[in-house]
Amino acid sequence: MERSRMNRASSSRLSELPQRVESNRMSMVYATPQSKQSFGKLNIPKPQSVTSERRTSFFGSRTSGAGMARNSAFGAFGGAEKMKDPRPLHDKAYVQQCIRQLCEFLSEKGFPGSMSVKSLQSPSTKEFLKIFEFIYCLLDPTFQMPTSKVEEEVPRILKDLGYPFVLSKSSMYSVGAPHTWPQVLGAVVWLIDTVKIFCSMSDQDLLFADFSDGSTEIEDGVEFNKLFLDYTAETYNKFMQGADTFDEEDADYLAKLKRLYNVDEGLLASMEEKYRMLSDEVERLEKESQTDRLMVKRTEKVKLQTDLQKLQSYRSNLESFKANLENKASGLAEELEASGLQVETLKQEESRLQHILSTQKFTPADIERINWEKRELQQTINSLSKSLEQAEQHMWNEEIALAKAKETAEVKLAEYHKLARKLKLIPVSAENACGHDFEIRTSTEYGPSTMVQCRTQIQQLLRKLITDVDEECSRLTDMKLSLEESIEQVNSNISDKANDLKHLREQIRRLDEQLEQDMQDIAHEEQKWSAEMESVETHRKLLEKKVTLGYDESVEQLKAAQQQYHLVLQETNEERRTVVNNLASVLTTAANHLSIVEKFLEDQHKRVDRVYTDAFREDEVDIQKMKDIMEGFIAKVNSM
């Protein structure tokens, strides 16, 4: 009953009077490690007042100053003041940070859709409703988004959850607009924080359930009620004086609760470190794995199986620890029983001596001796009691030292496993494991000899692995040297080929110069031919002038000779063009085919000389024929 009243008080505080100063802390009322609250379907408390307004104290009006005291006398309600969101929602950097946080949360929880930071810059209303439904289903798995009036349903749900700021209905019509998306994003981030708190409280019920064994009735007892009432009275007094945060009171209350429930800080810190390491490993594995739903389900299955194995191993460790404690308790019970028997024997001896004292008459010396023996026996009993207390204290100290040594060993073992995973030595199928098992498993049955044997085995495997790595490095070094020698040889070959190419270019240059000289010679010869042709033309004109006075036969013969001369000249020009074309082809061939240029040029030169000689001979024969014809004409003219 006290806990239900406490929960109602806390929920009403969160829903009715949100703080003016932003605080990320949880309520200290729920800070007990043996919390037995069960989570099934989410039970959302109905708010008793609007969450966007902060009303004054029920017992009187409140002054406007933040540091002024609240009046506790009866009076009327004060005016409502609208809460201002202290988060920088109009800062682009803060908005981008919230978007990245939302994207990471969706990918972590397995959102059934493709979602990226770019798509969350300006999402549509449909996408926002899918995201909101997915996040809220983490709180209430039976929730389904209604098909109508969603612009009223979403603000109502946030209001019921205790969202301390106003989210208007009009913002639901254009979620992705630049002026509405930051406020909606702030509400979604607040909902994500609520889900994280809900999940952390669920995890605490599983992880810290063993703290409550044997002390489940403490919370409902006098000590807890006294602590809670003192905490409530002190915080309420400061609240009435105008304070909104109670960090010192929370810290003091938490320290008292820890002392009340004997919370082990070292164990909590080690479990938090283990949880952080496991979370980092799971996050890395999830990023490396594919993001399809089948793979996510398989990963969740493996995770659940791993958690089950860990819980089973934790249970077996607890059972073995319990068995050890029972053995120690049985030993102490036997020792206590033996001490009780010894005390009973001493009591019997004391009764016997008392009977002897009452039935016999003793002298004062005997009485003094008996009293002295009694004092000796009492001293013996006191010394035995002190020895028993010292033995129990020593046993307790030894158990504490053993627990600390086990925690230190587990931390070092976790560091070793983390380093081995970075070096890819764990598990057996890892890349550098080579089929060997480098993992050290924790067990309460291990003794010093077993640990030494395990360490020796792992050291031998690591030395072998280091030797293999050194051999591989030496082999790669030799390969590198051989490759460097090959590169040097290839570079020398390249330099030789460059020299050969330089010589070939020099030969091509010389051949070009020789070709140019030959072309100049051919041009000089053509000039000579043209001069000869001009002289022949002049002589022909003189002959024509003389022949014009001749007969028709001479004119016809002269025309025939002229026609024959034009044919010869045309053939000569065609042969000259052929020679020029052949020389051009020789030049092209010499530029494209460097290896056979000399032989090709020699063949071309022989061919050109042969053609030139033949053409020159033919020209000489034709000119001789013309001369003979002209001499015949002259002779006929003279004879006429």
Side-chain angles (χ1 to χ4, degrees):
M1 293 297 292
E2 184 65 23
R3 171 173 287 190
S4 63
R5 289 195 300 271
M6 178 180 65
N7 292 337
R8 285 196 299 271
S10 176
S11 63
S12 62
R13 166 65 180 166
L14 290 173
S15 62
E16 287 187 350
L17 298 175
Q19 297 181 357
R20 291 172 297 174
V21 180
E22 185 182 11
S23 177
N24 294 324
R25 62 182 179 86
M26 295 172 58
S27 176
M28 292 297 106
V29 178
Y30 297 102
T32 56
Q34 78 288 353
S35 176
K36 290 293 183 180
Q37 188 179 4
S38 61
F39 293 95
K41 182 177 180 182
L42 184 64
N43 185 14
I44 302 174
K46 284 288 184 180
Q48 299 178 5
S49 65
V50 292
T51 60
S52 62
E53 297 179 355
R54 177 163 185 168
R55 301 187 181 276
T56 56
S57 175
F58 179 78
F59 298 96
S61 60
R62 198 186 78 189
T63 57
S64 60
M68 300 297 291
R70 297 177 174 86
N71 295 325
S72 60
F74 287 95
F77 283 100
E81 59 174 320
K82 188 175 182 180
M83 284 199 64
K84 183 179 180 182
D85 195 342
R87 296 174 296 181
L89 295 177
H90 296 287
D91 187 6
K92 293 183 179 179
Y94 181 80
V95 172
Q96 294 300 321
Q97 180 182 356
C98 294
I99 290 174
R100 287 193 296 270
Q101 182 180 355
L102 175 59
C103 186
E104 292 174 358
F105 180 83
L106 293 177
S107 61
E108 179 182 357
K109 297 298 181 181
F111 181 73
S114 60
M115 193 61 60
S116 62
V117 177
K118 184 177 180 180
S119 61
L120 291 175
Q121 298 294 330
S122 179
S124 61
T125 305
K126 185 177 180 181
E127 293 175 349
F128 167 74
L129 292 178
K130 288 183 179 179
I131 294 172
F132 183 85
E133 183 179 4
F134 173 78
I135 297 174
Y136 191 78
C137 284
L138 298 176
L139 295 174
D140 186 6
T142 62
F143 173 76
Q144 290 184 355
M145 182 64 70
T147 57
S148 61
K149 295 185 178 180
V150 292
E151 66 277 1
E152 297 179 359
E153 187 69 16
V154 173
R156 186 192 65 78
I157 292 173
L158 292 173
K159 180 181 178 181
D160 293 341
L161 286 175
Y163 185 61
F165 308 110
V166 176
L167 191 64
S168 61
K169 298 179 183 179
S170 60
S171 61
M172 294 292 103
Y173 294 103
S174 58
V175 175
H179 62 282
T180 58
W181 174 235
Q183 283 75 19
V184 178
L185 180 61
V188 174
V189 171
W190 180 87
L191 183 60
I192 290 174
D193 295 335
T194 305
V195 173
K196 290 181 179 178
I197 293 173
F198 172 76
C199 295
S200 65
M201 293 177 67
S202 301
D203 294 338
Q204 286 177 2
D205 289 337
L206 179 63
L207 294 176
F208 302 109
D210 55 337
F211 282 101
S212 61
D213 294 338
S215 61
T216 56
E217 297 180 357
I218 294 179
E219 186 173 355
D220 296 331
V222 178
E223 295 179 355
F224 177 80
N225 292 334
K226 183 177 181 301
L227 288 176
F228 176 68
L229 290 176
D230 292 341
Y231 169 77
T232 305
E234 187 176 359
T235 53
Y236 184 75
N237 289 332
K238 291 199 173 183
F239 175 78
M240 294 303 297
Q241 292 175 5
D244 280 327
T245 58
F246 314 99
D247 296 334
E248 296 179 357
E249 289 76 13
D250 292 343
D252 189 15
Y253 179 65
L254 183 60
K256 291 180 180 178
L257 287 177
K258 288 181 179 178
R259 286 196 300 271
L260 177 62
Y261 295 104
N262 295 325
V263 177
D264 192 352
E265 293 289 344
L267 179 60
L268 292 177
S270 62
M271 294 185 72
E272 184 178 1
E273 181 66 21
K274 289 181 181 178
Y275 174 75
R276 185 184 63 77
M277 293 171 60
L278 292 175
S279 300
D280 296 338
E281 185 68 18
V282 168
E283 183 178 2
R284 184 183 64 81
L285 293 176
E286 287 179 353
K287 287 182 179 179
E288 292 178 356
S289 63
Q290 298 180 356
T291 58
D292 55 347
R293 297 187 63 185
L294 181 60
M295 185 60 67
V296 171
K297 295 298 181 183
R298 289 177 179 174
T299 306
E300 291 179 356
K301 181 181 178 182
V302 172
K303 188 188 299 182
L304 293 175
Q305 291 177 353
T306 306
D307 293 340
L308 180 61
Q309 293 176 359
K310 289 181 179 179
L311 289 175
Q312 291 176 354
S313 62
Y314 181 66
R315 180 182 176 184
S316 62
N317 292 333
L318 288 178
E319 290 178 354
S320 61
F321 184 68
K322 181 180 178 182
N324 292 331
L325 291 179
E326 289 178 354
N327 294 330
K328 292 179 181 179
S330 62
L332 291 174
E334 291 176 357
E335 292 180 0
L336 185 61
E337 185 178 358
S339 300
L341 292 175
Q342 187 177 3
V343 171
E344 187 67 26
T345 303
L346 292 174
K347 287 181 179 180
Q348 291 177 2
E349 182 68 20
E350 183 183 4
S351 64
R352 185 180 65 81
L353 293 174
Q354 187 69 29
H355 178 70
I356 292 172
L357 180 62
S358 61
T359 56
Q360 294 182 359
K361 294 181 180 179
F362 296 97
T363 62
D366 294 334
I367 293 173
E368 185 178 357
R369 181 176 55 81
I370 290 170
N371 290 329
W372 180 80
E373 290 178 356
K374 182 180 179 181
R375 287 193 298 271
E376 290 290 333
L377 290 174
Q378 187 67 34
Q379 291 178 0
T380 304
I381 292 171
N382 294 331
S383 63
L384 289 175
S385 300
K386 291 181 180 179
S387 300
L388 180 61
E389 291 178 357
Q390 290 177 358
E392 291 178 352
Q393 184 66 28
H394 181 68
M395 182 186 68
W396 176 253
N397 294 331
E398 290 295 329
E399 289 179 355
I400 293 174
L402 178 61
K404 291 182 179 179
K406 287 179 67 177
E407 291 176 1
T408 306
E410 288 178 356
V411 172
K412 291 183 178 179
L413 186 59
E415 293 178 355
Y416 166 76
H417 285 168
K418 183 177 180 181
L419 181 60
R421 287 188 181 93
K422 286 183 179 180
L423 297 175
K424 297 182 180 179
L425 297 176
I426 296 176
V428 181
S429 59
E431 181 179 354
N432 298 328
C434 299
H436 301 294
D437 189 7
F438 290 92
E439 186 175 2
I440 300 177
R441 296 174 178 83
T442 58
S443 178
T444 57
E445 299 178 357
Y446 282 175
S449 61
T450 307
M451 294 303 294
V452 171
Q453 182 180 1
C454 183
R455 182 178 64 182
T456 305
Q457 182 179 0
I458 292 177
Q459 285 179 354
Q460 290 177 357
L461 293 176
L462 289 175
R463 290 192 185 99
K464 183 178 178 182
L465 182 62
I466 291 171
T467 305
D468 295 338
V469 171
D470 292 336
E471 291 178 357
E472 184 68 17
C473 289
S474 62
R475 186 180 64 82
L476 293 175
T477 304
D478 296 337
M479 186 183 294
K480 179 182 177 183
L481 293 175
S482 62
L483 290 175
E484 288 178 354
E485 292 177 357
S486 301
I487 290 171
E488 290 179 358
Q489 186 176 0
V490 170
N491 290 330
S492 63
N493 293 332
I494 290 172
S495 62
D496 295 338
K497 295 298 181 181
N499 294 329
D500 296 339
L501 182 62
K502 185 176 180 180
H503 292 315
L504 290 174
R505 287 177 178 174
E506 184 66 23
Q507 292 179 2
I508 292 170
R509 186 183 62 77
R510 293 176 182 176
L511 291 174
D512 290 336
E513 292 177 356
Q514 186 177 359
L515 180 61
E516 186 178 358
Q517 185 65 32
D518 293 339
M519 292 296 291
Q520 291 178 358
D521 295 339
I522 291 171
H524 185 66
E525 292 293 333
E526 287 181 352
Q527 290 179 358
K528 290 182 179 180
W529 293 346
S530 61
E532 291 179 358
M533 290 301 296
E534 288 178 357
S535 62
V536 171
E537 185 70 21
T538 305
H539 185 62
R540 185 184 62 78
K541 289 179 180 180
L542 292 174
L543 290 176
E544 284 180 355
K545 288 180 181 179
K546 294 179 179 181
V547 171
T548 51
L549 301 174
Y551 298 99
D552 294 336
E553 186 178 357
S554 298
V555 174
E556 291 177 359
Q557 289 181 358
L558 182 59
K559 288 181 179 180
Q562 289 178 352
Q563 291 177 358
Q564 188 175 3
Y565 172 75
H566 285 298
L567 290 174
V568 172
L569 182 60
Q570 186 177 1
E571 291 177 358
T572 303
N573 292 331
E574 289 179 357
E575 290 177 357
R576 186 182 294 112
R577 283 195 299 272
T578 303
V579 171
V580 172
N581 292 331
N582 290 332
L583 289 175
S585 63
V586 168
L587 180 61
T588 306
T589 306
N592 295 328
H593 305 281
L594 298 177
S595 61
I596 59 174
V597 65
E598 292 181 355
K599 183 177 178 181
F600 186 76
L601 286 175
E602 290 177 359
D603 295 339
Q604 289 297 325
H605 281 299
K606 291 179 181 179
R607 183 181 174 190
V608 170
D609 292 338
R610 185 172 59 254
V611 172
Y612 176 75
T613 304
D614 294 339
F616 186 73
R617 289 177 181 175
E618 290 177 0
D619 290 339
E620 286 182 349
V621 171
D622 293 336
I623 291 171
Q624 187 65 35
K625 287 181 180 180
M626 289 179 66
K627 287 181 179 180
D628 293 339
I629 291 170
M630 293 301 294
E631 289 178 355
F633 288 158
I634 293 170
K636 286 180 181 181
V637 171
N638 292 328
S639 63
M640 291 298 293

